[in-house]
PDB file of all heavy atoms in Angstrom:
ATOM      1  N   MET N 424    -116.774 -72.347 -56.933  1.00  0.00           N
ATOM      2  CA  MET N 424    -117.716 -73.339 -56.413  1.00  0.00           C
ATOM      3  C   MET N 424    -118.115 -74.357 -57.478  1.00  0.00           C
ATOM      4  O   MET N 424    -118.424 -75.511 -57.170  1.00  0.00           O
ATOM      5  CB  MET N 424    -118.975 -72.638 -55.889  1.00  0.00           C
ATOM      6  CG  MET N 424    -118.781 -71.783 -54.663  1.00  0.00           C
ATOM      7  SD  MET N 424    -118.132 -72.687 -53.236  1.00  0.00           S
ATOM      8  CE  MET N 424    -116.395 -72.245 -53.332  1.00  0.00           C
ATOM      9  N   ALA N 425    -118.111 -73.946 -58.738  1.00  0.00           N
ATOM     10  CA  ALA N 425    -118.509 -74.855 -59.816  1.00  0.00           C
ATOM     11  C   ALA N 425    -117.552 -76.033 -59.939  1.00  0.00           C
ATOM     12  O   ALA N 425    -117.923 -77.081 -60.475  1.00  0.00           O
ATOM     13  CB  ALA N 425    -118.578 -74.087 -61.139  1.00  0.00           C
ATOM     14  N   LYS N 426    -116.338 -75.856 -59.427  1.00  0.00           N
ATOM     15  CA  LYS N 426    -115.359 -76.935 -59.500  1.00  0.00           C
ATOM     16  C   LYS N 426    -115.843 -78.182 -58.760  1.00  0.00           C
ATOM     17  O   LYS N 426    -115.620 -79.315 -59.204  1.00  0.00           O
ATOM     18  CB  LYS N 426    -114.041 -76.450 -58.912  1.00  0.00           C
ATOM     19  CG  LYS N 426    -112.936 -77.461 -58.945  1.00  0.00           C
ATOM     20  CD  LYS N 426    -111.609 -76.833 -58.567  1.00  0.00           C
ATOM     21  CE  LYS N 426    -111.648 -76.251 -57.176  1.00  0.00           C
ATOM     22  NZ  LYS N 426    -110.323 -75.727 -56.795  1.00  0.00           N
ATOM     23  N   ALA N 427    -116.499 -77.973 -57.634  1.00  0.00           N
ATOM     24  CA  ALA N 427    -117.012 -79.110 -56.873  1.00  0.00           C
ATOM     25  C   ALA N 427    -118.110 -79.844 -57.646  1.00  0.00           C
ATOM     26  O   ALA N 427    -118.226 -81.067 -57.584  1.00  0.00           O
ATOM     27  CB  ALA N 427    -117.545 -78.632 -55.523  1.00  0.00           C
ATOM     28  N   LYS N 428    -118.900 -79.075 -58.382  1.00  0.00           N
ATOM     29  CA  LYS N 428    -119.993 -79.689 -59.140  1.00  0.00           C
ATOM     30  C   LYS N 428    -119.491 -80.476 -60.334  1.00  0.00           C
ATOM     31  O   LYS N 428    -119.937 -81.603 -60.604  1.00  0.00           O
ATOM     32  CB  LYS N 428    -120.967 -78.602 -59.602  1.00  0.00           C
ATOM     33  CG  LYS N 428    -122.122 -79.130 -60.436  1.00  0.00           C
ATOM     34  CD  LYS N 428    -123.072 -78.018 -60.862  1.00  0.00           C
ATOM     35  CE  LYS N 428    -124.218 -78.557 -61.683  1.00  0.00           C
ATOM     36  NZ  LYS N 428    -125.161 -77.483 -62.125  1.00  0.00           N
ATOM     37  N   PHE N 429    -118.526 -79.877 -61.065  1.00  0.00           N
ATOM     38  CA  PHE N 429    -118.045 -80.523 -62.286  1.00  0.00           C
ATOM     39  C   PHE N 429    -116.854 -81.446 -62.042  1.00  0.00           C
ATOM     40  O   PHE N 429    -116.402 -82.136 -62.951  1.00  0.00           O
ATOM     41  CB  PHE N 429    -117.684 -79.458 -63.327  1.00  0.00           C
ATOM     42  CG  PHE N 429    -118.869 -78.676 -63.816  1.00  0.00           C
ATOM     43  CD1 PHE N 429    -119.093 -77.384 -63.381  1.00  0.00           C
ATOM     44  CD2 PHE N 429    -119.777 -79.249 -64.694  1.00  0.00           C
ATOM     45  CE1 PHE N 429    -120.185 -76.652 -63.820  1.00  0.00           C
ATOM     46  CE2 PHE N 429    -120.880 -78.533 -65.142  1.00  0.00           C
ATOM     47  CZ  PHE N 429    -121.089 -77.234 -64.698  1.00  0.00           C
ATOM     48  N   LYS N 430    -116.297 -81.399 -60.813  1.00  0.00           N
ATOM     49  CA  LYS N 430    -115.263 -82.334 -60.385  1.00  0.00           C
ATOM     50  C   LYS N 430    -114.008 -82.296 -61.259  1.00  0.00           C
ATOM     51  O   LYS N 430    -113.423 -83.341 -61.568  1.00  0.00           O
ATOM     52  CB  LYS N 430    -115.836 -83.757 -60.328  1.00  0.00           C
ATOM     53  CG  LYS N 430    -116.895 -83.938 -59.246  1.00  0.00           C
ATOM     54  CD  LYS N 430    -117.423 -85.359 -59.199  1.00  0.00           C
ATOM     55  CE  LYS N 430    -118.305 -85.604 -57.984  1.00  0.00           C
ATOM     56  NZ  LYS N 430    -119.260 -84.545 -57.670  1.00  0.00           N
ATOM     57  N   TYR N 431    -113.583 -81.120 -61.650  1.00  0.00           N
ATOM     58  CA  TYR N 431    -112.284 -80.988 -62.322  1.00  0.00           C
ATOM     59  C   TYR N 431    -111.279 -80.444 -61.310  1.00  0.00           C
ATOM     60  O   TYR N 431    -111.633 -79.723 -60.386  1.00  0.00           O
ATOM     61  CB  TYR N 431    -112.379 -80.078 -63.552  1.00  0.00           C
ATOM     62  CG  TYR N 431    -112.809 -78.653 -63.267  1.00  0.00           C
ATOM     63  CD1 TYR N 431    -111.868 -77.665 -62.990  1.00  0.00           C
ATOM     64  CD2 TYR N 431    -114.150 -78.292 -63.281  1.00  0.00           C
ATOM     65  CE1 TYR N 431    -112.251 -76.356 -62.726  1.00  0.00           C
ATOM     66  CE2 TYR N 431    -114.556 -76.996 -63.013  1.00  0.00           C
ATOM     67  CZ  TYR N 431    -113.599 -76.031 -62.744  1.00  0.00           C
ATOM     68  OH  TYR N 431    -113.992 -74.745 -62.477  1.00  0.00           O
ATOM     69  N   ASP N 432    -110.023 -80.794 -61.477  1.00  0.00           N
ATOM     70  CA  ASP N 432    -109.004 -80.480 -60.480  1.00  0.00           C
ATOM     71  C   ASP N 432    -108.135 -79.301 -60.920  1.00  0.00           C
ATOM     72  O   ASP N 432    -106.977 -79.466 -61.299  1.00  0.00           O
ATOM     73  CB  ASP N 432    -108.138 -81.716 -60.214  1.00  0.00           C
ATOM     74  CG  ASP N 432    -107.187 -81.518 -59.043  1.00  0.00           C
ATOM     75  OD1 ASP N 432    -107.366 -80.536 -58.296  1.00  0.00           O
ATOM     76  OD2 ASP N 432    -106.268 -82.347 -58.883  1.00  0.00           O
ATOM     77  N   ASP N 433    -108.721 -78.126 -60.869  1.00  0.00           N
ATOM     78  CA  ASP N 433    -107.974 -76.883 -61.087  1.00  0.00           C
ATOM     79  C   ASP N 433    -107.358 -76.515 -59.735  1.00  0.00           C
ATOM     80  O   ASP N 433    -107.968 -75.839 -58.917  1.00  0.00           O
ATOM     81  CB  ASP N 433    -108.935 -75.792 -61.578  1.00  0.00           C
ATOM     82  CG  ASP N 433    -108.242 -74.463 -61.823  1.00  0.00           C
ATOM     83  OD1 ASP N 433    -107.005 -74.395 -61.693  1.00  0.00           O
ATOM     84  OD2 ASP N 433    -108.947 -73.478 -62.123  1.00  0.00           O
ATOM     85  N   SER N 434    -106.126 -76.972 -59.495  1.00  0.00           N
ATOM     86  CA  SER N 434    -105.542 -76.979 -58.156  1.00  0.00           C
ATOM     87  C   SER N 434    -105.703 -75.655 -57.428  1.00  0.00           C
ATOM     88  O   SER N 434    -106.135 -75.614 -56.273  1.00  0.00           O
ATOM     89  CB  SER N 434    -104.050 -77.335 -58.233  1.00  0.00           C
ATOM     90  OG  SER N 434    -103.854 -78.565 -58.873  1.00  0.00           O
ATOM     91  N   LEU N 435    -105.354 -74.551 -58.061  1.00  0.00           N
ATOM     92  CA  LEU N 435    -105.328 -73.258 -57.387  1.00  0.00           C
ATOM     93  C   LEU N 435    -106.248 -72.245 -58.053  1.00  0.00           C
ATOM     94  O   LEU N 435    -106.030 -71.038 -57.984  1.00  0.00           O
ATOM     95  CB  LEU N 435    -103.887 -72.730 -57.323  1.00  0.00           C
ATOM     96  CG  LEU N 435    -102.873 -73.732 -56.746  1.00  0.00           C
ATOM     97  CD1 LEU N 435    -101.477 -73.126 -56.720  1.00  0.00           C
ATOM     98  CD2 LEU N 435    -103.270 -74.194 -55.355  1.00  0.00           C
ATOM     99  N   ASP N 436    -107.252 -72.726 -58.740  1.00  0.00           N
ATOM    100  CA  ASP N 436    -108.351 -71.901 -59.265  1.00  0.00           C
ATOM    101  C   ASP N 436    -107.943 -70.861 -60.303  1.00  0.00           C
ATOM    102  O   ASP N 436    -108.421 -69.734 -60.292  1.00  0.00           O
ATOM    103  CB  ASP N 436    -109.093 -71.211 -58.116  1.00  0.00           C
ATOM    104  CG  ASP N 436    -109.776 -72.203 -57.198  1.00  0.00           C
ATOM    105  OD1 ASP N 436    -110.226 -73.238 -57.706  1.00  0.00           O
ATOM    106  OD2 ASP N 436    -109.839 -71.956 -55.985  1.00  0.00           O
ATOM    107  N   VAL N 437    -107.090 -71.249 -61.208  1.00  0.00           N
ATOM    108  CA  VAL N 437    -106.696 -70.334 -62.283  1.00  0.00           C
ATOM    109  C   VAL N 437    -107.873 -70.068 -63.220  1.00  0.00           C
ATOM    110  O   VAL N 437    -108.116 -68.936 -63.632  1.00  0.00           O
ATOM    111  CB  VAL N 437    -105.503 -70.905 -63.064  1.00  0.00           C
ATOM    112  CG1 VAL N 437    -105.084 -69.946 -64.190  1.00  0.00           C
ATOM    113  CG2 VAL N 437    -104.332 -71.165 -62.127  1.00  0.00           C
ATOM    114  N   LEU N 438    -108.618 -71.101 -63.548  1.00  0.00           N
ATOM    115  CA  LEU N 438    -109.765 -70.926 -64.445  1.00  0.00           C
ATOM    116  C   LEU N 438    -110.845 -70.078 -63.787  1.00  0.00           C
ATOM    117  O   LEU N 438    -111.375 -69.144 -64.388  1.00  0.00           O
ATOM    118  CB  LEU N 438    -110.329 -72.286 -64.850  1.00  0.00           C
ATOM    119  CG  LEU N 438    -111.590 -72.261 -65.718  1.00  0.00           C
ATOM    120  CD1 LEU N 438    -111.309 -71.572 -67.046  1.00  0.00           C
ATOM    121  CD2 LEU N 438    -112.113 -73.674 -65.956  1.00  0.00           C
ATOM    122  N   GLY N 439    -111.169 -70.388 -62.530  1.00  0.00           N
ATOM    123  CA  GLY N 439    -112.248 -69.682 -61.857  1.00  0.00           C
ATOM    124  C   GLY N 439    -111.954 -68.221 -61.585  1.00  0.00           C
ATOM    125  O   GLY N 439    -112.861 -67.382 -61.619  1.00  0.00           O
ATOM    126  N   VAL N 440    -110.687 -67.881 -61.319  1.00  0.00           N
ATOM    127  CA  VAL N 440    -110.340 -66.506 -60.998  1.00  0.00           C
ATOM    128  C   VAL N 440    -109.826 -65.751 -62.223  1.00  0.00           C
ATOM    129  O   VAL N 440    -110.323 -64.676 -62.558  1.00  0.00           O
ATOM    130  CB  VAL N 440    -109.301 -66.453 -59.861  1.00  0.00           C
ATOM    131  CG1 VAL N 440    -108.835 -65.019 -59.616  1.00  0.00           C
ATOM    132  CG2 VAL N 440    -109.890 -67.023 -58.573  1.00  0.00           C
ATOM    133  N   HIS N 441    -108.860 -66.312 -62.919  1.00  0.00           N
ATOM    134  CA  HIS N 441    -108.243 -65.573 -64.029  1.00  0.00           C
ATOM    135  C   HIS N 441    -109.000 -65.768 -65.346  1.00  0.00           C
ATOM    136  O   HIS N 441    -109.209 -64.796 -66.081  1.00  0.00           O
ATOM    137  CB  HIS N 441    -106.782 -65.995 -64.181  1.00  0.00           C
ATOM    138  CG  HIS N 441    -105.947 -65.655 -63.001  1.00  0.00           C
ATOM    139  ND1 HIS N 441    -105.403 -64.398 -62.816  1.00  0.00           N
ATOM    140  CD2 HIS N 441    -105.598 -66.380 -61.906  1.00  0.00           C
ATOM    141  CE1 HIS N 441    -104.738 -64.375 -61.673  1.00  0.00           C
ATOM    142  NE2 HIS N 441    -104.838 -65.558 -61.102  1.00  0.00           N
ATOM    143  N   GLY N 442    -109.402 -67.000 -65.639  1.00  0.00           N
ATOM    144  CA  GLY N 442    -110.148 -67.215 -66.874  1.00  0.00           C
ATOM    145  C   GLY N 442    -111.501 -66.539 -66.843  1.00  0.00           C
ATOM    146  O   GLY N 442    -111.840 -65.730 -67.721  1.00  0.00           O
ATOM    147  N   LEU N 443    -112.288 -66.849 -65.816  1.00  0.00           N
ATOM    148  CA  LEU N 443    -113.620 -66.255 -65.699  1.00  0.00           C
ATOM    149  C   LEU N 443    -113.530 -64.766 -65.377  1.00  0.00           C
ATOM    150  O   LEU N 443    -114.270 -63.947 -65.929  1.00  0.00           O
ATOM    151  CB  LEU N 443    -114.404 -66.990 -64.620  1.00  0.00           C
ATOM    152  CG  LEU N 443    -115.855 -66.561 -64.397  1.00  0.00           C
ATOM    153  CD1 LEU N 443    -116.653 -66.702 -65.683  1.00  0.00           C
ATOM    154  CD2 LEU N 443    -116.495 -67.380 -63.285  1.00  0.00           C
ATOM    155  N   GLY N 444    -112.610 -64.396 -64.486  1.00  0.00           N
ATOM    156  CA  GLY N 444    -112.459 -62.985 -64.132  1.00  0.00           C
ATOM    157  C   GLY N 444    -111.968 -62.140 -65.284  1.00  0.00           C
ATOM    158  O   GLY N 444    -112.450 -61.019 -65.498  1.00  0.00           O
ATOM    159  N   GLY N 445    -111.016 -62.661 -66.062  1.00  0.00           N
ATOM    160  CA  GLY N 445    -110.514 -61.897 -67.206  1.00  0.00           C
ATOM    161  C   GLY N 445    -111.567 -61.664 -68.264  1.00  0.00           C
ATOM    162  O   GLY N 445    -111.692 -60.561 -68.811  1.00  0.00           O
TER     163      GLY N 445
END
Side-chain angles (χ1 to χ4, degrees):
M424 292 301 99
K426 181 170 60 176
K428 178 179 180 180
F429 294 104
K430 293 181 171 43
Y431 61 90
D432 188 13
D433 180 4
S434 304
L435 308 180
D436 296 326
V437 180
L438 176 62
V440 174
H441 296 277
L443 183 58

